Amino acid sequence: MEKSGRLEVPVGIPGRGYSVWIGEGILDEAGAMVAEFAGVRGKCALVSDSNVMRIYGGRVRASLELAGFSVIAHEVPAGERSKSLQVVEGCIDAMVGAKLDRKSFVVALGGGVVGDLAGFVAAIYFRGIPFVQIPTTIVAQVDSAVGGKTGVNARGGKNLVGAFHQPKLVLADPATLGTLPEREFYEGFAEIVKHAVIRDASMLERIRPGARDGLSGLLAENVRIKAAIVAEDEKEEKDVRALLNFGHTVGHAIENASGYGEWFHGEAVSLGIVAALRLSRRYAGLPEVDEQRVTEILRSLQLPVRFPRSLSVEKILEAMKVDKKFSMGKMRFVLTPRLGEALVSGEVTESAVVEAIEELQE
Ligand SMILES: NC(=O)c1ccc[n+]([C@@H]2O[C@H](COP(=O)([O-])OP(=O)(O)OC[C@H]3O[C@@H](n4cnc5c(N)ncnc54)[C@H](O)[C@@H]3O)[C@@H](O)[C@H]2O)c1
Ligand SMILES: [Zn+2]
């Protein structure tokens, strides 16, 4: 649906539905849109990181204040390390200090780190207060801001502590992508390639490396895919939402094994996708040309497609075992039999994962 140049994508979760609005300049309308669509009043905590607060915090704050909200801004350091319980506590202290109560709400302004962190704070503050997502990276606009998975990392692993908490509204302004550094811009395409592989192979043709303009349509297509999957299986109780983990079993393990921050999420996922493609050939009959095609697209997006030898295969495997259970040497793994389709297989063995990674080493 389109309203004055904005695209609206509804997320049809029964009882908890909301819309994702995508449009250039939407950032300056945040206050009015929150007032119209989020069903909230009063005070809010505007949570952002040190980069994004500096660039966009003032505009969002002004827009919220103009609409009559009272805003306390809370800044956290940029980077994956802010997804920690310590930073959660800092947010909560600031909110208690500013007397935010159960009628207050949270606005998450930033990438996936801020969205996951601030969403989790909203999920547990007074046992849950409303929140609004204003994603400013591709990862966040096509993926993390939609679907209600919130949480932080713990010593034992990534996203170990979290909650399902759906936002009341998501406002994605593609103009914000213009200020993303090169590496942060490209990492986001890993999630777009993932969506294409599991649901819509034709989208692979619409990825244009480097173009920062005219992305609204592509972003909306991705949000539609994510929204449809989430609406069907909000809490990952069936195999449907699990398909979104394509490339993430190995991806998360790389992030865990190498310490947070060294690999960007999208870069680790790119390697995870390449490993999943190789395993898809072996277990699901994916044609070699399709593996090559997707690998070339990832490469054209400046994403890694070969495992550096410095990344220990044993460590990756060890990290995989933290969030995936092997039963009798086999694990559940998302595979693609042909581009545009995915399935969960229970056949993948530990040694096949090791072999795939070794074949894909530099
Ligand atoms: N909840 C979910 O369903 C879900 C899905 C995918 C990813 N994630 C999580 O998202 C996180 C990764 O998110 P990310 O890739 O957005 O990283 P990020 O939030 O760390 O942002 C990347 C970098 O870009 C900067 N930045 C953000 N927007 C900017 C802008 N418009 N201009 C200039 N700089 C900007 C940030 O300050 C940061 O330094 C991971 O923790 C991952 O686990 C969650
Ligand atoms: Zn991801």
Side-chain angles (χ1 to χ4, degrees), residues 47-49 74-77 79-92 95 106 108 111-124 131 133 149-153 159 161:
V47 180
S48 192
D49 74 19
H74 183 70
E75 185 180 306
V76 302
E80 182 73 25
R81 274 176 229 277
S82 275
K83 269 179 61 171
S84 75
L85 287 168
Q86 204 186 344
V87 175
V88 167
E89 203 172 5
C91 293
I92 289 172
M95 288 162 69
V106 170
V113 165
V114 166
D116 282 11
L117 165 76
F120 183 57
V121 168
I124 60 175
F131 88 115
Q133 290 267 23
K149 277 195 182 176
T150 72
V152 296
N153 306 320
N159 300 332
V161 184

Side-chain angles (χ1 to χ4, degrees), residues 20-98:
V20 181
W21 292 87
I22 301 159
E24 306 260 342
I26 226 170
L27 214 60
D28 298 308
E29 294 165 51
M33 294 190 75
V34 169
E36 188 175 350
F37 300 115
V40 288
R41 291 189 289 124
K43 282 187 188 175
C44 69
L46 173 62
V47 180
S48 192
D49 74 19
S50 40
N51 296 325
V52 181
M53 191 71 99
R54 183 174 50 79
I55 312 177
Y56 300 111
R59 277 167 63 189
V60 172
R61 180 179 195 141
S63 172
L64 287 164
E65 286 176 347
L66 191 68
F69 298 108
S70 141
V71 181
I72 65 135
H74 183 70
E75 185 180 306
V76 302
E80 182 73 25
R81 274 176 229 277
S82 275
K83 269 179 61 171
S84 75
L85 287 168
Q86 204 186 344
V87 175
V88 167
E89 203 172 5
C91 293
I92 289 172
D93 286 347
M95 288 162 69
V96 172

